Amino acid sequence: MPRRLVQLFAGLILYGVSDSMLLLAGLGVDPWDVLHQGLARRTGVPVGTWAIIAGAVVLLLWIPLRQRPGLGTLCNVVLIGTVIDLVLAAVPPPHSLPVQAAVMVSGVVLNGVATGLYIGAGLGPGPRDGLMTGFAARGHSLRVVRTCIEATVLLAGWLLGGTVGIGTVVYALCIGPLAHVFVPLFSRPAPAKLLEADVPLVRLEPDQRHIDPTGHRPGATRS
């Protein structure tokens, strides 16, 4: 368990750092972070704080869906947003396009590594993934549920002023293949009790924030 906890926290911290890199690059972010960024621009509340608020609200939606959170689920809600706010407060954004592009690509790759780490720890899915799998468990197509939720989030975030750009496209195209590499690489067998209690471990978040755009699910998983 200590090794799995270290892996979980390392993955969540790196996930927050990778989200911050995409935000700092300014070339577009994943759908949930488009929403968080749009809300931040409208209200003045930091992006990471909105990530925490949104995660908590989504987690409440698990109740009627009878989803059961794990330790990793609760840590996911709090830690990723906290790291985002800390990094954005400490690191200035790049202004040169080549540097922005390099930060964006590095952020996407790091996000894939982080996804593999925290999913592989086997301590619970992210709140957004649980929402999607909860709807899917009621007989709906997971691909349709994911597409509808993420399209709605993306549109709402864009209307609020969030950045949709080449980074959004690169993220969508690359996160699935990256997760296919890193989730199996870092996966640890979950205890029998956890396997009986938890829903499938899927947090590509933020959320199926991280999912192959073809609808295929990597290994199992965002804003």
Side-chain angles (χ1 to χ4, degrees):
M1 176 63 80
R3 291 182 64 187
R4 293 171 66 212
L5 285 174
V6 170
Q7 180 173 324
L8 170 68
F9 286 114
L12 293 177
I13 290 170
L14 290 177
Y15 199 101
V17 172
S18 68
D19 270 4
S20 303
M21 293 172 70
L22 291 170
L23 288 160
L24 288 167
L27 298 177
V29 292
D30 69 274
W32 282 98
D33 280 333
V34 172
L35 176 62
H36 304 151
Q37 188 180 54
L39 288 166
R41 287 174 173 172
R42 290 282 182 171
T43 64
V45 176
V47 175
T49 303
W50 272 115
I52 295 171
I53 294 170
V57 170
V58 170
L59 193 56
L60 290 176
L61 297 177
W62 282 33
I63 297 173
L65 295 174
R66 298 181 180 179
Q67 297 288 82
R68 300 180 64 179
L71 174 63
T73 309
L74 302 177
C75 293
N76 182 300
V77 172
V78 176
L79 192 54
I80 292 177
T82 301
V83 172
I84 290 173
D85 280 347
L86 290 173
V87 173
L88 294 183
V91 180
H95 299 293
S96 164
L97 184 57
V99 177
Q100 288 176 281
V103 171
M104 177 199 70
V105 172
S106 299
V108 172
V109 174
L110 182 60
N111 194 277
V113 175
T115 296
L117 282 168
Y118 94 80
I119 292 177
L123 294 174
R128 296 155 185 84
D129 298 317
L131 177 66
M132 296 180 191
T133 54
F135 279 115
R138 281 165 162 64
H140 303 288
S141 164
L142 182 60
R143 180 181 298 184
V144 171
V145 169
R146 179 187 67 84
T147 300
C148 289
I149 291 177
E150 293 196 345
T152 300
V153 167
L154 181 65
L155 178 60
W158 178 69
L159 291 173
L160 287 168
T163 302
V164 178
I166 185 63
T168 309
V169 177
V170 171
Y171 185 92
L173 292 176
C174 295
I175 193 62
L178 287 169
H180 273 296
V181 172
F182 291 112
V183 170
L185 182 64
F186 294 117
S187 288
R188 297 178 180 277
K193 188 177 293 186
L194 178 67
L195 290 174
E196 293 171 2
D198 279 353
V199 297
L201 302 179
V202 286
R203 167 73 162 92
L204 298 183
E205 131 142 35
D207 300 133
Q208 308 85 320
R209 285 169 65 165
H210 319 312
I211 250 183
D212 190 323
T214 63
H216 297 296
R217 308 177 58 74
T221 327
R222 107 68 27 349
S223 76

